[in-house]
Amino acid sequence: MIRGLLVFAGALALAAPLVHAQVVTVCVFQAQKGHKMHNDSDAQGVVDALSTLKLPNGDAIRAIPVDGISTRDEEAEALKRGCGFVAEVWRNDVPASTPLVAAAGANPSSQNPDLFPGSATEAGTVMEYALRKTNSNKTIAHGEANKSDPWSEVADTIAKKIARAK
């Protein structure tokens, strides 16, 4: 009898982290500012990258791509989908007068291929993002990613900020 209880207690101890781990849901909106990417490709890229990550406490991240929603309707849509966090992604042009672009243009040998991948059309475009809790207007993370694969960079930052905000 006691042996059975000890086995049962051991099994519970092993299962405790699994029971404690939760899922954090993030709605990723393809924002309608800057350049709207067709077929929500940036939102889907961030969702795919977020879905592979876990928070340091073991919580899984469930990311949902959302496209075609106006900024004023994002809150209602996030609540309807059960999202605890709202992330927005959009593309924006970086003008040639930006110090980073001007410096790279002045010295072509120092041009970083990560910052200016592909054709001249892509050279001045960055993916920007913002993260906030649902039911809050306070942005807890924002920035830009300008590498050829910006989605994983943005997803890493979002996951770190969610871990701190929980």
Side-chain angles (χ1 to χ4, degrees):
M1 174 79 171
I2 293 176
R3 185 176 175 182
L5 287 174
L6 289 174
V7 170
F8 180 70
L12 282 178
L14 290 174
L18 298 174
V19 173
H20 184 265
Q22 298 178 356
V23 175
V24 176
T25 306
V26 181
C27 282
V28 182
F29 289 89
Q30 187 73 50
Q32 297 181 357
K33 49 188 164 185
H35 298 298
K36 184 169 176 354
M37 296 302 287
H38 300 292
N39 301 324
D40 72 337
S41 61
D42 281 333
Q44 187 61 54
V46 172
V47 164
D48 292 343
L50 274 172
S51 297
T52 65
L53 300 175
K54 287 193 181 282
L55 298 179
N57 66 358
D59 289 355
I61 300 173
R62 186 181 82 156
I64 304 169
V66 184
D67 187 29
I69 302 293
S70 69
T71 304
R72 70 172 183 259
D73 295 331
E74 284 179 358
E75 190 70 29
E77 187 67 22
L79 289 171
K80 183 172 101 177
R81 294 176 184 240
C83 295
F85 292 88
V86 172
E88 293 180 310
V89 294
W90 67 95
R91 292 285 173 142
N92 221 345
D93 283 333
V94 177
S97 62
T98 301
L100 182 61
V101 175
N107 185 2
S109 64
S110 71
Q111 195 168 15
N112 183 345
D114 285 344
L115 297 176
F116 304 97
S119 68
T121 313
E122 295 176 357
T125 302
V126 296
M127 188 180 87
E128 297 189 51
Y129 64 93
L131 175 70
R132 64 180 173 79
K133 284 186 174 182
T134 306
N135 284 331
S136 173
N137 290 329
K138 182 181 176 189
T139 301
I140 57 176
H142 67 283
E144 63 185 38
N146 50 11
K147 295 185 177 187
S148 59
D149 176 17
W151 310 286
S152 57
E153 179 182 345
V154 169
D156 287 341
T157 302
I158 287 174
K160 288 175 187 172
K161 294 296 182 173
I162 287 173
R164 285 189 199 148
K166 281 190 65 173

